[in-house]
Amino acid sequence: MPYLPARDFVGYGDKPPLAEWPGGTKLALNIVVNYEEGAEYSIDEGDNVSEAILSDLAVSPAVPGLRNRNMESLYEYGSRVGVWRLLSLFGDKNIVPTFYVVGRALELNPDAGKAIAALGSDIVCHGWRWIDYAPLSEAEERQHIAMTVDAVQRITGIRPLGWYTGRPSLNTRRLVVEHGGFLFDCDDYNDDLPYFVEVGSRRHLVVPHSFDNNDSRFSRGSGLETGSQFFEYVGDAVDWLVAEGRTTPRMMTVSLHCRLAARPGRMIGLARFLDKIKANPDIWICRRSDLAQHWLNRFGG
């Protein structure tokens, strides 16, 4: 049996393609806001355990059959307060992020979806539920892809052009391509540039996501605790990539979660970062679908 998805340890090697970002910029920078609240593992959603990761509770033991009200409440903060705080900040700074939207979360708070659309954001589908898709059957995962696309289009009026599960199965990329309508997916972390893969007979674009320039590190015991520390880390990444971009322009993803980055003690660091990138003419601050479309226009689909 073939080992699929196949692993690639070579990539572009020492000959990465010249991205030629718009205006001669050195770095394409995309900010992603993950909207997941309400779609995580929950007894209320028919799961046999409560969510155990990605909150300020860090890792919480999942006890079969029992609700974890602390975890539930921490997730609720993201939809009740966090998403609105982030939308307000991005509006004030005149920066348009991409939203990774989980279908069930959007269904539970459609007003958030309407506000995301009003900001001008593009939407990357983030699964129907914020769960691990490896145990699901191929038929169920296929159904979830269709349900997510339908919810996004119905509630926001936006046609989603990208996909990111986050906890994918080995079938996810093939099913996304099979569904059609997507320009790209983001379910890899292995490069600082987009790249193409072969999925069946189709050449498919991958725009890699990031776990390092990611506020999930607040919840992973990585030593990242404050907004100032986050600013220093992602700011250093920008400085390095802009300098490297004088010869090899790259892309960078900064990933935020409504229940993590939008805590008051972290917002000043995020605001400082937005000011930093806006002041640098060598940075193209872009939506993810615009970055993908640029790559497809330049290198073909």
Side-chain angles (χ1 to χ4, degrees):
M1 293 290 292
Y3 196 80
L4 295 174
R7 300 182 70 187
D8 180 358
F9 295 95
V10 177
Y12 293 124
D14 63 352
K15 297 180 177 62
L18 291 178
E20 293 193 358
W21 304 125
T25 48
K26 313 306 182 195
L27 175 64
L29 194 153
N30 173 234
I31 300 172
V32 168
V33 179
N34 296 266
Y35 189 75
E36 303 161 341
E37 285 76 10
E40 75 278 2
Y41 284 110
S42 169
I43 303 299
D44 190 44
E45 290 293 317
D47 304 309
N48 66 351
V49 295
S50 295
E51 185 57 77
I53 63 171
L54 275 187
S55 83
D56 281 311
L57 196 58
V59 176
S60 177
V63 180
L66 293 182
R67 292 177 64 181
N68 184 333
R69 185 57 195 142
N70 286 344
M71 185 65 80
E72 290 176 354
S73 185
L74 286 163
Y75 266 75
E76 288 163 14
Y77 186 90
S79 59
R80 291 166 60 109
V81 180
V83 67
W84 304 109
R85 183 171 285 145
L86 290 175
L87 285 165
S88 177
L89 177 66
F90 283 113
D92 290 346
K93 300 296 184 183
N94 197 28
I95 289 176
V96 181
T98 293
F99 272 78
Y100 285 4
V101 172
V102 181
R104 178 59 177 155
L106 185 66
E107 192 176 67
L108 290 168
N109 190 3
D111 285 347
K114 294 179 175 63
I116 289 167
L119 186 64
S121 292
D122 60 333
I123 289 179
V124 168
C125 289
H126 192 11
W128 177 247
R129 298 281 313 284
W130 168 231
I131 57 174
D132 185 355
Y133 270 83
L136 269 65
S137 70
E138 186 172 322
E140 190 171 8
E141 186 174 8
R142 182 182 289 111
Q143 180 185 28
H144 278 207
I145 292 170
M147 291 166 63
T148 308
V149 173
D150 174 72
V152 168
Q153 293 188 148
R154 173 169 39 84
I155 293 171
T156 71
I158 295 172
R159 178 190 173 197
L161 298 178
W163 183 274
Y164 173 71
T165 296
R167 293 190 260 186
S169 76
L170 296 180
N171 298 315
T172 299
R173 179 162 290 154
R174 175 174 55 83
L175 294 175
V176 166
V177 171
E178 176 190 291
H179 182 276
F182 295 106
L183 296 182
F184 62 97
D185 80 68
C186 310
D187 270 312
D188 273 322
Y189 312 88
N190 50 10
D191 214 304
D192 290 321
L193 286 173
Y195 60 89
F196 290 99
V197 294
E198 299 296 327
V199 181
S201 61
R202 179 172 172 181
R203 191 170 181 240
H204 174 70
L205 182 65
V206 177
V207 182
H209 191 54
S210 169
F211 273 162
D212 69 311
N213 301 311
N214 194 315
D215 69 354
S216 64
R217 294 178 62 195
F218 288 127
S219 72
R220 289 192 264 131
S222 69
L224 196 70
E225 298 291 342
T226 70
S228 295
Q229 289 172 325
F230 187 69
F231 167 77
E232 182 178 2
Y233 187 88
V234 294
D236 284 352
V238 162
D239 291 343
W240 182 272
L241 289 174
V242 168
E244 189 175 279
R246 296 189 184 107
T247 55
T248 306
R250 302 285 193 179
M251 63 164 280
M252 176 176 167
T253 301
V254 175
S255 181
L256 309 172
H257 296 75
C258 300
R259 61 193 174 276
L260 293 172
R263 294 289 177 174
R266 297 167 183 156
M267 287 293 290
I268 291 176
L270 176 58
R272 287 174 61 202
F273 177 71
L274 298 184
D275 289 339
K276 175 185 175 75
I277 60 176
K278 277 196 70 175
N280 193 328
D282 286 327
I283 299 174
W284 176 37
I285 304 172
C286 56
R287 303 182 310 171
R288 209 162 190 83
S289 58
D290 298 327
L291 192 160
Q293 191 62 66
H294 173 88
W295 201 264
L296 288 165
N297 291 343
R298 176 150 172 72
F299 298 106

